Amino acid sequence: MHEASVGVFVPYLRNLSALLDHAQAHAGARRIDPDVLLGMRLAPNMYSLRQQVGEANRHVILSCALLAGCAPLAFADATPDIAELKARIAATIEFAQGVTPAAIDAAADKEVVFTFRSGATRPFTGKSLILTFSVPQFFFHVATAYDILRHAGVELVKKDFLGPPRQAQV
C-alpha cells in the first residue's frame, strides 16, 4: 500500500516541481508573466495549471491522511505563484513521507470516506481509495499540468513527465 501510494506520489511530485521550473524558465525567456501560464487551461471548463497542481497535492494529502488516520496538511487560502506552488509540493512530499509505511500498509481493508469539495462523500477501503481513486486522480492532474505547459509552448518531453529512471522496489 505504501509503495503504491507514497512510493508513486513522491517521485511524480518532484517531477511536477521540475515542470514548474521549466514553466518559470519559459516565462522568463519569453518575457511572459508567469501568472499567465498558471492561469492557462486546456478547455474553459477545466482547472487552470495552478489548480491542477493544487489538486495533485490535495489527492496526495487527503489519501495519506485518510489511510493514516491523521489530520491533513492545509495550505493558506491564497493564490499561489510558482514559488509558492513549489513550496506546497515540497510540503506535500514532506507530509507524505512523514506517514509511516506501517500506517499505510495496515489500512488496506480500513473503511475510509473521501469528502469532495462539494461536501459529497464516497466510501472506500484503503486499497480501493489508492488503486481506483487517489492514484488515478493524482495522475490525471499531473498529466494535465504537463499538457497545459506543452500547449503553452514550454519545451518538455515525456522524460520530463516521467522523471529519472527508478529501480522497482521488490
Side-chain angles (χ1 to χ4, degrees):
M1 288 282 296
H2 185 270
E3 190 61 30
S5 57
V6 175
V8 171
F9 294 145
V10 168
Y12 280 91
L13 283 168
R14 289 185 179 125
N15 299 351
L16 181 57
S17 185
L19 293 177
L20 292 174
D21 291 335
H22 285 281
Q24 185 75 51
H26 177 82
R30 285 158 186 79
R31 294 188 175 100
I32 300 169
D33 179 352
D35 199 52
V36 171
L37 290 177
L38 293 175
M40 289 186 73
R41 52 188 82 225
L42 293 178
N45 65 343
M46 290 183 75
Y47 283 165
S48 68
L49 173 60
R50 179 182 285 114
Q51 292 168 302
Q52 298 294 346
V53 173
E55 287 298 300
N57 283 332
R58 182 172 169 269
H59 281 284
V60 171
I61 291 165
L62 291 179
S63 64
C64 288
L66 283 170
L67 293 176
C70 66
L73 174 66
F75 297 116
D77 190 21
T79 304
D81 59 10
I82 290 177
E84 175 60 23
L85 286 172
K86 288 179 59 65
R88 290 178 181 196
I89 291 169
T92 300
I93 290 170
E94 185 176 337
F95 177 79
Q97 289 179 325
V99 177
T100 66
I104 291 180
D105 289 343
D109 296 320
K110 178 181 175 181
E111 295 292 324
V112 296
V113 177
F114 185 91
T115 302
F116 294 88
R117 290 192 186 276
S118 67
T121 59
R122 183 170 167 194
F124 292 95
T125 63
K127 184 177 180 180
S128 69
L129 174 74
I130 292 302
L131 297 178
T132 70
F133 187 72
S134 293
V135 169
Q137 288 279 350
F138 171 76
F139 275 113
F140 174 85
H141 293 294
V142 174
T144 303
Y146 172 90
D147 293 340
I148 290 169
L149 291 172
R150 283 292 309 263
H151 182 71
V154 177
E155 293 183 26
L156 298 171
V157 294
K158 190 188 301 185
K159 184 175 82 173
D160 296 310
F161 176 82
L162 295 174
R166 289 177 278 284
Q167 294 289 359
Q169 301 293 321
V170 190

mmCIF file of all heavy atoms in Angstrom, residues 32 63 89 97 100 149 166:
data_model
loop_
_atom_site.group_PDB
_atom_site.id
_atom_site.type_symbol
_atom_site.label_atom_id
_atom_site.label_comp_id
_atom_site.label_asym_id
_atom_site.label_seq_id
_atom_site.Cartn_x
_atom_site.Cartn_y
_atom_site.Cartn_z
ATOM 1 N N ILE A 32 7.105 36.497 -20.467
ATOM 2 C CA ILE A 32 5.687 36.242 -20.199
ATOM 3 C C ILE A 32 5.498 36.303 -18.692
ATOM 4 O O ILE A 32 6.297 35.745 -17.943
ATOM 5 C CB ILE A 32 5.270 34.838 -20.708
ATOM 6 C CG1 ILE A 32 5.483 34.717 -22.213
ATOM 7 C CG2 ILE A 32 3.829 34.516 -20.335
ATOM 8 C CD1 ILE A 32 5.354 33.282 -22.728
ATOM 9 N N SER A 63 -5.405 11.376 0.699
ATOM 10 C CA SER A 63 -5.317 9.913 0.752
ATOM 11 C C SER A 63 -4.383 9.472 1.872
ATOM 12 O O SER A 63 -4.713 8.544 2.620
ATOM 13 C CB SER A 63 -4.891 9.330 -0.595
ATOM 14 O OG SER A 63 -3.597 9.746 -0.959
ATOM 15 N N ILE A 89 4.347 21.819 -3.007
ATOM 16 C CA ILE A 89 4.726 20.467 -3.430
ATOM 17 C C ILE A 89 5.738 19.891 -2.440
ATOM 18 O O ILE A 89 5.614 18.743 -2.013
ATOM 19 C CB ILE A 89 5.284 20.470 -4.867
ATOM 20 C CG1 ILE A 89 4.170 20.790 -5.879
ATOM 21 C CG2 ILE A 89 5.942 19.127 -5.195
ATOM 22 C CD1 ILE A 89 4.671 21.064 -7.293
ATOM 23 N N GLN A 97 5.849 11.629 3.189
ATOM 24 C CA GLN A 97 6.961 10.835 3.705
ATOM 25 C C GLN A 97 6.921 10.721 5.227
ATOM 26 O O GLN A 97 7.517 9.807 5.784
ATOM 27 C CB GLN A 97 8.292 11.429 3.251
ATOM 28 C CG GLN A 97 8.531 11.227 1.772
ATOM 29 C CD GLN A 97 9.832 11.833 1.302
ATOM 30 O OE1 GLN A 97 10.268 12.876 1.775
ATOM 31 N NE2 GLN A 97 10.458 11.179 0.335
ATOM 32 N N THR A 100 4.013 6.906 8.252
ATOM 33 C CA THR A 100 4.807 5.676 8.292
ATOM 34 C C THR A 100 4.277 4.634 7.316
ATOM 35 O O THR A 100 3.058 4.520 7.119
ATOM 36 C CB THR A 100 4.828 5.062 9.701
ATOM 37 O OG1 THR A 100 3.511 4.623 10.031
ATOM 38 C CG2 THR A 100 5.342 6.051 10.740
ATOM 39 N N LEU A 149 1.283 22.960 -19.995
ATOM 40 C CA LEU A 149 2.590 23.568 -20.285
ATOM 41 C C LEU A 149 3.036 23.271 -21.710
ATOM 42 O O LEU A 149 3.565 24.158 -22.394
ATOM 43 C CB LEU A 149 3.625 23.098 -19.263
ATOM 44 C CG LEU A 149 3.406 23.636 -17.857
ATOM 45 C CD1 LEU A 149 4.348 22.969 -16.869
ATOM 46 C CD2 LEU A 149 3.558 25.157 -17.831
ATOM 47 N N ARG A 166 13.807 4.832 -12.193
ATOM 48 C CA ARG A 166 13.819 4.399 -10.791
ATOM 49 C C ARG A 166 13.857 2.877 -10.744
ATOM 50 O O ARG A 166 13.236 2.220 -11.576
ATOM 51 C CB ARG A 166 12.570 4.905 -10.064
ATOM 52 C CG ARG A 166 12.589 6.404 -9.841
ATOM 53 C CD ARG A 166 11.314 6.881 -9.178
ATOM 54 N NE ARG A 166 10.206 7.076 -10.077
ATOM 55 C CZ ARG A 166 10.066 8.097 -10.912
ATOM 56 N NH1 ARG A 166 10.993 9.000 -11.002
ATOM 57 N NH2 ARG A 166 9.016 8.199 -11.677
#
